[in-house]
C-alpha cells in the first residue's frame, strides 16, 4: 500500500506514518502543504490519500476538489478537527470516501485506511488473489505457486502486487522505481532489475511471466512459457 499523507502537524504526521508502516507495511509520503498534491498523485501510483482539512495555503477542501477535478479516483480519507456536520457533508460531497474527526484512535484510522484500499481494489476482507497457478494472500502476506509457498521479501512483494494490478499492461522501469520508493528515492533502476530477475525465478510454474519490452519496461502476462 502506498499512501500520500497531507498533514501540517509534523508530530501527528509522524505518528500516522509510523502506524501505517508498522501495521500494514505501507509506504507513506508526507507533505505539509496541499499545493503539490494533485501533480504528485498524477505522477506516481498511490493507493490512498489521507488528507487534513486545516492546511496552510490552500485548505484540504480545495485540495480534494482539485484531485477529483483532475479525474483521480483513488480513495480519500479526510482528517479534521472540525466537528460541524456541514463540514463533514461538504467533504463527502467533494468526493471524500471517509471522514474522521480529531482526536481519533490510530487503530481505527488504520482499519479504515485498509478497508478503503480493499474496496478500491475490489477486494473484501480475507479474500485471496489467484491468477494462473499463483495465489497471494494479502492479509497474511503469503504467496504460493502451484501449491508451494514462495518466500517474497518486502520489495519483491510490492513489485508483484504492482505488476498484478497492471496485468497485461506494459509498465515502465521509472514507474516501478517510483512505486517501490518513497519520496526518499531509495530504490534505483538497477535494484528494480535485480528484483525482477529474482521474481521471475520464483514465478516459474505459475503460468505467469515477466517479459522485458525493450525501450518501454516490463509486462506481466499469463503464459505457460518460461520467463525470458
Amino acid at each position: 500500500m502506498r499512501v500520500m499523507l497531507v498533514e501540517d502537524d509534523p508530530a501527528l504526521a509522524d505518528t500516522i506514518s509510523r502506524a501505517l508502516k508498522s501495521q500494514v507495511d505501507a509506504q507513506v509520503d508526507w507533505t505539509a502543504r496541499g499545493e503539490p498534491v494533485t501533480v504528485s498523485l498524477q505522477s506516481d501510483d498511490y493507493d490512498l490519500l489521507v488528507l487534513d482539512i486545516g492546511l496552510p495555503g490552500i485548505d484540504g477542501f480545495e485540495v480534494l476538489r482539485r484531485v477529483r477535478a483532475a479525474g483521480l479516483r483513488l480513495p480519500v480519507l479526510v482528517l479534521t478537527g472540525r466537528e460541524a456536520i456541514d463540514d463533514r457533508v461538504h467533504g463527502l460531497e467533494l468526493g471524500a470516501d471517509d471522514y474522521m474527526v480529531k482526536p481519533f484512535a490510530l487503530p481505527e484510522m488504520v482499519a479504515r485506511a485498509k478497508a478503503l484500499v480493499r474496496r478500491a481494489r475490489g477486494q473484501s476482507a480475507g479474500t485471496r488473489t489467484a491468477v494462473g497457478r499463483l495465489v497471494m494472500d494479502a492479509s497474511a502476506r503469503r504467496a504460493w505457486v502451484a501449491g508451494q509457498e514462495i518466500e517474497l521479501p518486502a520489495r519483491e512483494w510490492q513489485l508483484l502486487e504492482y505488476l498484478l494490478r497492471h496485468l497485461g499492461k506494459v509498465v515502465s522501469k521509472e514507474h516501478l522505481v517510483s512505486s517501490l520508493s518513497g519520496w526518499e528515492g531509495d530504490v534505483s533502476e538497477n535494484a528494480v532489475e535485480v528484483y525482477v530477475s529474482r521474481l521471475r525465478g520464483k514465478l516459474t510454474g505459475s503460468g505467469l511471466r515477466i517479459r522485458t519490452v525493450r525501450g518501454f519496461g516490463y509486462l506481466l502476462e499469463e503464459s505457460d512459457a518460461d520467463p525470458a
Side-chain angles (χ1 to χ4, degrees), residues 145 150 195-206 210 227:
V145 168
I150 58 174
Y195 297 139
V196 168
S197 177
R198 292 175 181 170
L199 196 54
R200 279 174 169 157
K202 295 178 181 182
L203 289 178
T204 299
S206 67
I210 304 172

Side-chain angles (χ1 to χ4, degrees), residues 6-21:
V6 189
E7 168 60 61
D8 67 328
D9 182 338
L12 179 57
D14 182 65
T15 299
I16 293 172
S17 295
R18 288 176 182 272
L20 289 170
K21 290 175 181 177

Side-chain angles (χ1 to χ4, degrees), residues 77-104:
L77 173 59
V78 166
L79 308 177
T80 181
R82 304 178 184 182
E83 297 186 13
I85 294 297
D86 287 348
D87 284 333
R88 300 189 202 185
V89 171
H90 185 47
L92 293 171
E93 287 180 340
L94 286 173
D97 296 275
D98 202 352
Y99 206 103
M100 296 193 72
V101 176
K102 302 174 184 177
F104 50 80

